[in-house]
Amino acid sequence: MAFVTRQFVRSVSSSSTASASAKKIIIKHVTVIGGGLMGAGIAQVAAATGHTVMLVDQTEDILAKSRKGIEESLRKVAKKKFAENPKAGDEFVEKTLNSISTSTDAASVVHSTDLVVEAIVENLKMKNELFKRLDKFASEHTIFASNTSSLHITDIANATTRQDRFAGLHFFNPVPMMKLVEVIKTPMTSQKTTESLIDFSKALGKHPVSCKVMHPRKTSTLR
Ligand SMILES: NC(=O)c1ccc[n+]([C@@H]2O[C@H](COP(=O)([O-])OP(=O)(O)OC[C@H]3O[C@@H](n4cnc5c(N)ncnc54)[C@H](O)[C@@H]3O)[C@@H](O)[C@H]2O)c1
């Protein structure tokens, strides 16, 4: 899928370590909603870099397919990374897969997660419904992020009561290969949230770039 629409501009500089805040959230547990092309890639990379991952999709069948895809992708990574030591490669695959749990009920698994990354279909109403519901079940500290390519982050954030803890986290396909991650802040996104997501992206081995929404909207389509 091509991602051509941009509702934001990149900042002049990329992430700033100088402004690092002691209050940043160290993201260890990640909930990825949507186990399709992008969500599976995000779950794989997060688990492979030592995070505990909960992967959520609509049915067990989709999740099984998603998990199989992740395993195949991990085996390819392991073959290259551990070319001289296949046993270590097998261990890497097993350990990474063991870090990924799955669920078909997002609301029941977000209570203690540090970050929710949404990668469901590109539909504002569906994304809003999802986040509005999760907002009631997630912990206060939990950051919400959308991987949307073309929707306004502000429009999605406004479905929640945590606009300060809401941002875009835009990965590129294929996620295990592509280094760039755009951290997209709205006018309401706190510095702490932005910095936490930049640190998380770096922990994934990615190159985060901080971006801001160009034409923020004030109202949500979901009431
Ligand atoms: N494909 C790309 O190249 C690309 C790149 C960057 C960003 N994106 C963005 O990432 C998001 C996902 O894209 P994709 O290509 O991975 O889509 P996809 O169709 O491959 O996967 C979407 C998954 O979401 C699941 N889903 C739908 N509604 C759900 C719900 N309410 N709860 C749980 N799971 C649900 C579907 O079953 C499906 O498995 C979109 O917002 C898209 O714009 C895509």
Side-chain angles (χ1 to χ4, degrees), residues 1-3 6 32-40 42 56-59 62-63 66 103-104 106 118-123 126-127 130 146-151 169-175:
M1 181 186 139
F3 31 86
R6 285 284 180 275
V32 181
I33 318 278
L37 185 65
M38 299 303 291
I42 296 164
V56 178
D57 209 303
Q58 292 171 309
T59 69
I62 297 173
L63 286 167
S66 186
S103 173
T104 55
E118 169 273 313
I120 69 167
V121 285
E122 193 73 331
N123 178 300
M126 286 175 71
K127 288 182 194 283
L130 174 72
S146 173
N147 187 48
T148 182
S149 288
S150 61
L151 299 172
L169 195 60
H170 189 232
F171 292 84
F172 291 81
N173 179 41
V175 180

Side-chain angles (χ1 to χ4, degrees), residues 154 185-189 213 216 218:
T154 313
K185 54 189 171 186
T186 76
M188 296 92 76
T189 307
V213 172
K218 295 277 186 270

Side-chain angles (χ1 to χ4, degrees), residues 9-21 23-27 45 49 51 114-115 117 143-145 164-171 179-186 189-212:
V9 287
R10 281 181 196 164
S11 301
V12 176
S13 64
S14 66
S15 59
S16 162
T17 48
S19 60
S21 151
K23 293 178 189 166
K24 285 185 293 189
I25 292 169
I26 311 286
I27 294 166
V45 170
T49 50
H51 300 85
D114 301 314
L115 170 67
V117 183
I143 294 173
F144 284 0
D164 60 319
R165 283 150 284 151
F166 202 111
L169 195 60
H170 189 232
F171 292 84
K179 290 286 182 193
L180 181 65
V181 174
E182 293 169 326
V183 178
I184 306 154
K185 54 189 171 186
T186 76
T189 307
S190 72
Q191 187 65 14
K192 176 179 165 182
T193 296
T194 303
E195 289 176 1
S196 301
L197 290 174
I198 284 170
D199 283 1
F200 171 65
S201 304
K202 286 180 183 169
L204 299 183
K206 303 298 185 193
H207 298 316
V209 176
S210 180
C211 311
K212 60 184 175 186

Side-chain angles (χ1 to χ4, degrees), residues 3-166:
F3 31 86
V4 290
T5 312
R6 285 284 180 275
Q7 78 275 29
F8 51 83
V9 287
R10 281 181 196 164
S11 301
V12 176
S13 64
S14 66
S15 59
S16 162
T17 48
S19 60
S21 151
K23 293 178 189 166
K24 285 185 293 189
I25 292 169
I26 311 286
I27 294 166
K28 296 305 291 175
H29 188 291
V30 187
T31 301
V32 181
I33 318 278
L37 185 65
M38 299 303 291
I42 296 164
Q44 175 186 325
V45 170
T49 50
H51 300 85
T52 303
V53 177
M54 175 61 72
L55 180 61
V56 178
D57 209 303
Q58 292 171 309
T59 69
E60 293 294 349
D61 281 356
I62 297 173
L63 286 167
K65 197 175 156 202
S66 186
R67 206 178 171 82
K68 192 162 176 274
I70 292 172
E71 180 170 357
E72 284 166 8
S73 176
L74 280 170
R75 294 220 178 275
K76 281 184 201 156
V77 173
K79 205 171 169 183
K80 276 190 193 162
K81 198 172 168 185
F82 300 96
E84 307 298 324
N85 189 350
K87 191 168 175 287
D90 288 343
E91 283 166 9
F92 163 75
V93 173
E94 194 180 339
K95 188 174 173 219
T96 304
L97 286 173
N98 285 341
S99 300
I100 304 175
S101 307
T102 58
S103 173
T104 55
D105 183 6
S108 71
V109 295
V110 291
H111 48 84
S112 57
T113 198
D114 301 314
L115 170 67
V116 173
V117 183
E118 169 273 313
I120 69 167
V121 285
E122 193 73 331
N123 178 300
L124 180 61
K125 188 166 180 283
M126 286 175 71
K127 288 182 194 283
N128 279 355
E129 280 169 4
L130 174 72
F131 277 120
K132 189 178 183 187
R133 181 162 154 74
L134 296 188
D135 196 30
K136 298 187 181 109
F137 292 92
S139 158
E140 272 299 300
H141 84 284
T142 304
I143 294 173
F144 284 0
S146 173
N147 187 48
T148 182
S149 288
S150 61
L151 299 172
H152 282 253
I153 296 296
T154 313
D155 285 346
I156 312 174
N158 281 343
T160 74
T161 59
R162 61 181 77 211
Q163 287 99 332
D164 60 319
R165 283 150 284 151
F166 202 111

